[in-house]
Amino acid sequence: MLRGRESLVRLIGRRRRSPLPESLAAALLPRSHSTSHKADDAGAGASASASEAAAAAGPSSGGSPGAGEELVACPVCGESIRGSDYSVNTHLDLCLTRGAKRKLTQSSLLDFRFSKKATVEPTLDSLNKDDEAENKGLADGDVSSDGDRNSDPGSPEDSTAPLLPGCLHDSPGISKMHNTSIPSNIVLPNAEYDEVENGSSCVLSAVTTLGSIDACPDADSSTTVAVDTVIVGRRFRENIELQEGVGITVTRDPQNAKDPDAIKVLYAGSECGQMLGYLPRELAKVLAPLLDTHFVECEGFVVGLPEQQLDNVPIHLTCQKCKDDNQRYEDLRYQQSLWENFLGAVRNGNFLRLNSARYQANFNTMITDVMTNHTHLFNDKEASFLGSFSLLSNDSQWLFVRIYTRKGPWFRVSSLSYSEISDVEHAAMELKLAGYIEMLSCTDVPSEYDIKEILDVLSVPEMKEILKELPKDNTNCTRRHELLSTLLSIYNNGTCTSLPKRIVKWTGTCIKTSNMADELLWRVQRLFFLNGDQDISSFLLVDLGLVKFPDYTCSISHRIFQERNDLLEYEEAIRVAQFMDESLDNDNMDLVSRCADLSENRLCTMLKEDSSIAESPPFYSCFSSTWVYSKVLTLGVSVYERDRRYSDAIRTLKMLLSKVSSGRRRGYWTLRLSVDLEHMNRPTESLSIAEGGVIDPWVRAGSKIALQRRVLRLGKPPRRWKVPSYADSLRRNIKEVNIEGRPLNCEIGAKNVFYGYDGECCGVEQLALQYYADEGGGWQGTHSEGGIWMTIFGLLMWDVIFLEVCDVFQSKFQTAPLDFGTDDFYKSRKDLIESQLKRIQDGMAEEMLISSWELHQGTSCRGVNWDRHSMADLRAVVAGVGGHRLALLLRHLALDYNSWSSGMPDLLLWRFLDERGGAEAKLVEVKGPKDQLSDQQRAWIFVLMDFGFDVEICKVSLVSKRR
């Protein structure tokens, strides 16, 4: 991979599906392509307008209105809409939200004749109120399992009503049992489980007399409570077959490493104790103390089976108090307080944790948070568009979330079938009217921009049938990519003008997210997560318990984007980066050069230091267009050097060094500039650049070592007579150990594979580990490079990393502060860092390590790998290294984490000295045949030697022919 591309891909994150804006298309695309591109956009817009007008004139697919329905005129915008009560309410709310001009003839609403329906549908207003209550609870309690839920337990009218299936919408699934109970082995009819699929928490048998707990004034004195919840953690027990209606029991799992309050769900009556999974974390937190004190007994049954094997399993759980006449008053009072806490938590919480409701609520939470904290970055039209999402029906919101998060971009409406959506076509039409999706019906003609994407919707048999319908015989193709290329060539050649209609005829009505929705939601995700690596799926990972983010306080005094123009320039720069990455995928070097030229022009026209960035904290610079364009040009330099275009590379590097005065990439740019100048037979200038880089304070680690070595090599008499002061340091001897290995392969460029000491195939690092474990002195160790050191740094510096510092935490989904890896990290926490290092130097590192491990195990932190290194190994390393050397190493990382986070020796070895009761450690860099030390590795070895570490190089050579 080209140098700098991986970093650029991480910056881009989720690619935007919409076409390039006209300004960028004119600058990046050739004139012919730019013209056709603009025409495609216009055609697509015309097609969308035509389809929207057709939809407004009547139902889609050319059908007539249903019985009892007629087309009526909207009193706000004047469009023709279906005369059903739900359509009218939905359309009016959307029109008013968009701020459309209100007409004076409001009396037309009294003349509407609404269609009669068998069941009364909820109005959009009532659905919105339910969504707001659900979103409020999820916003307060979903991200962290310890958060309190603030959702309303229900209205007074609902609290006095019997709790029957489907009686409440998103009400807590808790009830009081009266003299009857449900046998654990009873199998309920499927009709009782419809509400589970629709997100309701009232899944109770009709044969049971139940009442809402809110209706009982003595609810806290009740002896039996029924809770509707789910089984989570099914991924660990996928081999166990579930049965509907089977009885279940629960038992505590206090030794669980992820959650000390964990409660396991078992088959009732199972002799071997087959585990089905766990109770949700929120429920286990309040139920575990009651089980530990033997105050309650729990049993229940499986309500229904999930659609997917690993989805959450709905269950009905009954919790009953246990009587103990000999119990002391103090213990009884304490248990009663736990019981009241349990009742309150269950009353205010929804423990079904269905992915559909959570995903939809998380989507609303993300939009609401961004619109609250970043209102100044959106104009009125954009704010109105995003605000209208909460006014959509539940079906429409769920459908949009599904198609937005799926691969797409086009989807057949006929293939979209979700149990959460009652009418997919109706939801799709509502989304189209709101502008969130584009719809392509059988009567529409797709544009050139959409034709390739729509072809991906077709199956192989369908593409074959389309080819059979064409005049020319093209039925020899059998594979999918061959069929796609054949249809595209026919379309591009213009030999069959009816091909687009034939394709749409086979696909049927298709939908995709609109360009405006895609652009704005990309912006919302970028502002919410502050990076391109995370998206809405991060919510789901938290809800499922797969990822846990650390606890910290967000203290914000400066917004990252002070003005809207700053954000738009940043977005445009990322768009250029995405286009360059796509051009590299297509091996289109002409477009790659255009992206580099455009980035260079934009960077040249900008001020050396942006005034808005200068007023903000220095670590905000990574959210500027200058930062993005510099990454694009860094990749462009790699492309120039690969193609031996050294003059272009030199011009670009000089411009970067003149425009970007800070940042650790200056070392790489200076080194490449010196190398490229030497390629152009300009050694004197190359030497001058290298000498300037050595004294540049932003040139560090391996880049500085590389430039120093270049100065020594190029600066020989008569160019330079004086020897630099660092010459002796670079010429220090590094201890070496030579071992032999039997190679399994001798391919150039391939990873070396050897026969190990145990006769098994292994890599060069595993061969060295076997040598040190046996002949090398009985060392234990691991091949971790810098991973184990990053883990130790994160654990010992946990309180430092997540210290409350202004502006470094702006999202609840961060694994490190924004200034992590910059010079500001040490400056703003110097006192606490030095205090921690003093404790480590005094020999308290092992105690601090154990405490941090127990408190934060499983929590995500940058650099910490919980699964790769065991606690025993970490303790052995800390003991073997010693407090003094460990403190020096951790201070070095705290000062400049990014520059020194790579290049550490491959092996970390340790052994215990029984006779002295101590331990020692060794670091080893392993090199196979023909491998050489990199400058970054050489820099690390010199630093470790200065700190007093035992460091050596293990060179593996091939077994001689004589042996």
Side-chain angles (χ1 to χ4, degrees):
M1 181 177 286
L2 294 168
R3 179 66 181 266
R5 188 174 185 187
E6 184 177 356
S7 176
L8 193 72
V9 170
R10 288 198 305 269
L11 175 67
I12 295 168
R14 183 181 186 270
R15 289 182 175 180
R16 280 173 284 186
R17 301 169 181 171
S18 55
L20 284 174
E22 294 183 7
S23 58
L24 285 181
L28 294 176
L29 297 175
R31 178 164 299 182
S32 58
H33 289 80
S34 178
T35 305
S36 62
H37 181 83
K38 184 175 180 180
D40 292 342
D41 293 344
S47 175
S49 299
S51 60
E52 186 173 352
S60 59
S61 307
S64 59
E69 292 185 358
E70 63 177 328
L71 298 179
V72 295
C74 174
V76 179
C77 64
E79 292 184 0
S80 298
I81 54 178
R82 289 188 300 171
S84 62
D85 53 358
Y86 190 81
S87 297
V88 169
N89 290 336
T90 301
H91 185 84
L92 283 175
D93 284 331
L94 292 173
C95 283
L96 295 175
T97 303
R98 287 196 296 262
K101 184 177 180 180
R102 182 185 297 271
K103 293 191 175 182
L104 298 177
T105 55
Q106 293 290 325
S107 58
S108 58
L109 278 173
L110 302 176
D111 301 329
F112 287 173
R113 289 183 294 175
F114 303 118
S115 58
K116 296 181 180 179
K117 298 183 179 180
T119 58
V120 179
E121 294 186 1
T123 63
L124 185 64
D125 188 42
S126 64
L127 290 176
N128 290 336
K129 291 180 179 178
D130 292 337
D131 287 345
E132 291 173 2
E134 181 182 358
N135 293 343
K136 181 179 179 182
L138 288 164
D140 293 336
D142 275 5
V143 176
S144 174
S145 61
D146 298 332
D148 296 331
R149 294 186 177 269
N150 299 323
S151 56
D152 188 6
S155 60
E157 291 79 8
D158 293 336
S159 63
T160 57
L163 192 59
L164 296 175
C167 60
L168 293 176
H169 177 72
D170 288 342
S171 59
I174 179 173
S175 56
K176 181 179 178 182
M177 191 96 52
H178 294 284
N179 301 326
T180 58
S181 61
I182 303 176
S184 60
N185 58 352
I186 190 171
V187 179
L188 300 182
N190 293 333
E192 300 293 331
Y193 312 133
D194 294 341
E195 293 299 330
V196 176
E197 298 179 355
N198 294 330
S200 174
S201 57
C202 302
V203 189
L204 303 173
S205 172
V207 301
T208 309
T209 305
L210 298 168
S212 170
I213 193 168
D214 294 335
C216 305
D218 58 341
D220 294 344
S221 62
S222 59
T223 59
T224 304
V225 170
V227 182
D228 291 303
T229 181
V230 292
I231 304 176
V232 299
R234 285 283 298 160
R235 62 189 183 282
F236 303 114
R237 296 294 180 268
E238 56 183 330
N239 57 338
I240 298 180
E241 183 179 357
L242 282 171
Q243 296 181 4
E244 191 174 296
V246 70
I248 57 172
T249 59
V250 298
T251 183
R252 285 279 287 114
D253 185 13
Q255 304 301 324
N256 191 290
K258 299 289 186 182
D259 182 11
D261 296 326
I263 300 177
K264 296 187 291 187
V265 181
L266 310 176
Y267 267 130
S270 175
E271 297 180 357
C272 58
Q274 286 183 307
M275 189 174 76
L276 301 178
Y278 294 89
L279 292 181
R281 186 185 298 267
E282 298 91 340
L283 177 59
K285 184 178 180 180
V286 293
L287 184 57
L290 294 171
L291 293 176
D292 291 339
T293 56
H294 306 286
F295 189 67
V296 297
E297 292 181 351
C298 300
E299 62 180 11
F301 58 92
V302 176
V303 173
L305 301 182
E307 294 183 358
Q308 303 295 328
Q309 184 180 11
L310 302 183
D311 282 351
N312 298 338
V313 180
I315 60 173
H316 182 86
L317 196 65
T318 302
C319 304
Q320 186 173 7
K321 287 184 182 180
C322 300
K323 293 183 178 180
D324 188 358
D325 298 334
N326 297 326
Q327 197 169 23
R328 294 187 306 171
Y329 175 75
E330 292 79 6
D331 295 338
L332 182 61
R333 184 175 181 182
Y334 170 70
Q335 291 175 344
Q336 185 63 29
S337 65
L338 294 178
W339 176 255
E340 294 174 359
N341 183 38
F342 168 68
L343 294 180
V346 174
R347 183 187 299 115
N348 295 328
N350 179 10
F351 299 116
L352 280 171
R353 294 192 55 163
L354 294 177
N355 291 345
S356 60
R358 286 294 182 97
Y359 225 66
Q360 179 179 334
N362 292 336
F363 206 80
N364 277 294
T365 299
M366 182 178 65
I367 294 176
T368 303
D369 180 86
V370 170
M371 295 307 298
T372 301
N373 298 319
H374 305 281
T375 310
H376 63 289
L377 301 178
F378 298 87
N379 57 32
D380 294 340
K381 181 179 179 181
E382 294 168 347
S384 176
F385 181 84
L386 292 173
S388 64
F389 185 79
S390 61
L391 300 178
L392 297 173
S393 64
N394 285 336
D395 285 357
S396 298
Q397 290 187 25
W398 175 232
L399 178 62
F400 180 78
V401 171
R402 291 292 291 175
I403 65 175
Y404 180 75
T405 53
R406 287 176 60 179
K407 186 177 179 180
W410 286 96
F411 302 94
R412 289 175 170 174
V413 174
S414 59
S415 66
L416 298 176
S417 177
Y418 303 108
S419 59
E420 296 85 1
I421 302 177
S422 57
D423 189 348
V424 173
E425 293 185 359
H426 191 121
M429 182 59 65
E430 183 181 356
L431 288 172
K432 179 184 177 299
L433 291 174
Y436 279 91
I437 65 170
E438 296 178 10
M439 183 176 292
L440 195 66
S441 62
C442 299
T443 58
D444 298 325
V445 179
S447 63
E448 181 181 354
Y449 179 79
D450 293 329
I451 195 69
K452 184 179 184 301
E453 296 176 342
I454 294 177
L455 282 174
D456 290 334
V457 177
L458 295 171
S459 63
V460 171
E462 290 172 338
M463 286 189 280
K464 289 181 179 180
E465 291 297 327
I466 293 176
L467 288 175
K468 288 181 182 179
E469 297 175 358
L470 301 180
K472 186 177 180 180
D473 185 14
N474 296 285
T475 58
N476 295 329
C477 304
T478 56
R479 298 182 178 180
R480 182 176 183 85
H481 67 88
E482 295 175 344
L483 294 167
L484 283 173
S485 59
T486 301
L487 288 172
L488 282 175
S489 62
I490 294 174
Y491 176 79
N492 294 328
N493 295 335
T495 56
C496 182
T497 57
S498 62
L499 181 61
K501 292 184 177 181
R502 294 174 185 268
I503 293 173
V504 176
K505 174 186 174 183
W506 279 94
T507 60
T509 304
C510 295
I511 59 174
K512 75 167 184 177
T513 58
S514 65
N515 292 340
M516 185 173 184
D518 190 67
E519 289 289 326
L520 289 181
L521 290 174
W522 182 93
R523 179 185 300 174
V524 166
Q525 289 188 135
R526 179 70 62 154
L527 292 172
F528 187 81
F529 295 105
L530 301 177
N531 58 64
D533 295 332
Q534 295 173 305
D535 54 18
I536 187 65
S537 61
S538 298
F539 280 101
L540 185 60
L541 296 177
V542 173
D543 291 339
L544 295 177
L546 300 178
V547 176
K548 181 182 178 182
F549 288 93
D551 296 327
Y552 47 78
T553 303
C554 295
S555 177
I556 303 173
S557 62
H558 295 85
R559 288 296 175 185
I560 293 178
F561 300 101
Q562 300 292 336
E563 300 178 358
R564 174 179 167 86
N565 288 336
D566 298 334
L567 175 62
L568 296 181
E569 291 176 357
Y570 176 72
E571 289 183 352
E572 187 178 64
I574 294 182
R575 198 58 186 265
V576 174
Q578 175 181 329
F579 189 75
M580 186 176 191
D581 186 50
E582 293 171 348
S583 302
L584 284 171
D585 288 339
N586 299 326
D587 200 23
N588 192 331
M589 292 300 107
D590 179 55
L591 296 182
V592 170
S593 298
R594 287 176 177 268
C595 291
D597 293 340
L598 177 63
S599 301
E600 189 173 348
N601 292 333
R602 295 286 172 85
L603 209 55
C604 286
T605 57
M606 292 179 181
L607 296 176
K608 187 173 182 179
E609 294 290 346
D610 192 354
S611 58
S612 61
I613 297 297
E615 297 174 358
S616 302
F619 48 86
Y620 279 5
S621 61
C622 61
F623 299 101
S624 64
S625 58
T626 303
W627 174 277
V628 181
Y629 286 132
S630 65
K631 281 186 172 289
V632 173
L633 291 176
T634 300
L635 179 57
V637 168
S638 300
V639 175
Y640 292 152
E641 292 177 339
R642 185 191 63 180
D643 298 339
R644 300 181 183 274
R645 297 167 55 183
Y646 297 117
S647 58
D648 293 334
I650 291 171
R651 184 195 71 248
T652 303
L653 288 168
K654 285 184 176 180
M655 190 273 300
L656 284 171
L657 290 169
S658 65
K659 288 292 182 181
V660 183
S661 59
S662 62
R664 65 188 186 98
R665 287 171 296 175
R666 286 184 60 84
Y668 174 75
W669 296 337
T670 306
L671 176 61
R672 297 317 306 170
L673 178 57
S674 178
V675 172
D676 293 340
L677 287 170
E678 189 176 6
H679 285 315
M680 297 293 290
N681 295 321
R682 295 154 65 178
T684 303
E685 188 178 355
S686 175
L687 176 59
S688 300
I689 293 296
E691 290 174 334
V694 169
I695 62 175
D696 189 337
W698 291 101
V699 178
R700 303 165 183 173
S703 298
K704 188 170 186 176
I705 293 291
L707 290 171
Q708 289 175 345
R709 296 180 66 200
R710 289 188 63 82
V711 170
L712 293 179
R713 183 172 61 82
L714 296 174
K716 295 178 180 179
R719 289 198 186 98
R720 298 290 187 272
W721 294 95
K722 185 178 179 180
V723 179
S725 59
Y726 47 79
D728 294 336
S729 177
L730 293 178
R731 292 171 182 156
R732 282 181 290 176
N733 293 327
I734 305 173
K735 186 168 58 174
E736 293 184 2
V737 173
N738 292 278
I739 63 175
E740 292 184 342
R742 292 182 297 154
L744 181 63
N745 64 336
C746 298
E747 300 176 6
I748 299 176
K751 183 176 178 60
N752 295 316
V753 180
F754 293 86
Y755 289 103
Y757 288 82
D758 56 359
E760 300 293 333
C761 297
C762 63
V764 64
E765 293 85 6
Q766 285 71 29
L767 181 66
L769 281 173
Q770 294 179 18
Y771 163 77
Y772 281 103
D774 188 9
E775 301 176 16
W779 295 87
Q780 303 178 50
T782 177
H783 172 217
S784 64
E785 299 182 3
I788 194 168
W789 295 111
M790 303 302 113
T791 298
I792 292 174
F793 178 84
L795 291 175
L796 295 181
M797 293 290 174
W798 192 283
D799 294 337
V800 173
I801 294 173
F802 298 104
L803 178 69
E804 181 179 351
V805 177
C806 194
D807 294 327
V808 299
F809 293 110
Q810 302 208 8
S811 168
K812 287 297 183 182
F813 291 83
Q814 292 179 226
T815 58
L818 294 178
D819 64 345
F820 191 69
T822 68
D823 293 353
D824 297 279
F825 179 79
Y826 181 83
K827 293 177 182 177
S828 58
R829 304 166 178 83
K830 181 178 179 180
D831 294 339
L832 182 57
I833 290 176
E834 293 300 330
S835 175
Q836 293 288 87
L837 295 176
K838 181 65 169 58
R839 296 177 62 195
I840 294 171
Q841 191 171 357
D842 293 340
M844 299 181 63
E846 191 171 354
E847 180 183 344
M848 295 167 60
L849 188 71
I850 296 173
S851 176
S852 182
W853 179 282
E854 293 176 350
L855 287 175
H856 310 296
Q857 186 178 12
T859 304
S860 298
C861 175
R862 188 179 303 174
V864 177
N865 192 326
W866 297 102
D867 301 324
R868 186 174 181 181
H869 311 290
S870 65
M871 185 62 195
D873 290 346
L874 297 176
R875 292 178 63 183
V877 171
V878 169
V881 170
H884 177 70
R885 288 190 292 266
L886 183 59
L888 291 175
L889 177 59
L890 296 184
R891 179 183 287 108
H892 196 67
L893 289 173
L895 285 168
D896 192 359
Y897 188 92
N898 281 348
S899 296
W900 296 98
S901 58
S902 62
M904 293 194 73
D906 296 313
L907 306 183
L908 175 57
L909 309 174
W910 63 87
R911 63 182 177 187
F912 295 97
L913 307 175
D914 296 334
E915 62 275 10
R916 290 183 295 178
E920 59 180 347
K922 180 195 293 284
L923 290 92
V924 180
E925 180 65 40
V926 184
K927 289 298 174 187
K930 301 180 180 179
D931 287 345
Q932 298 293 329
L933 277 177
S934 69
D935 294 304
Q936 181 72 9
Q937 292 169 345
R938 194 181 302 272
W940 255 120
I941 291 176
F942 289 155
V943 166
L944 293 171
M945 291 171 62
D946 293 337
F947 291 164
F949 282 82
D950 184 6
V951 190
E952 64 186 31
I953 300 175
C954 179
K955 291 188 175 181
V956 181
S957 58
L958 304 181
V959 175
S960 60
K961 294 181 179 179
R962 184 174 301 177
R963 292 187 56 186

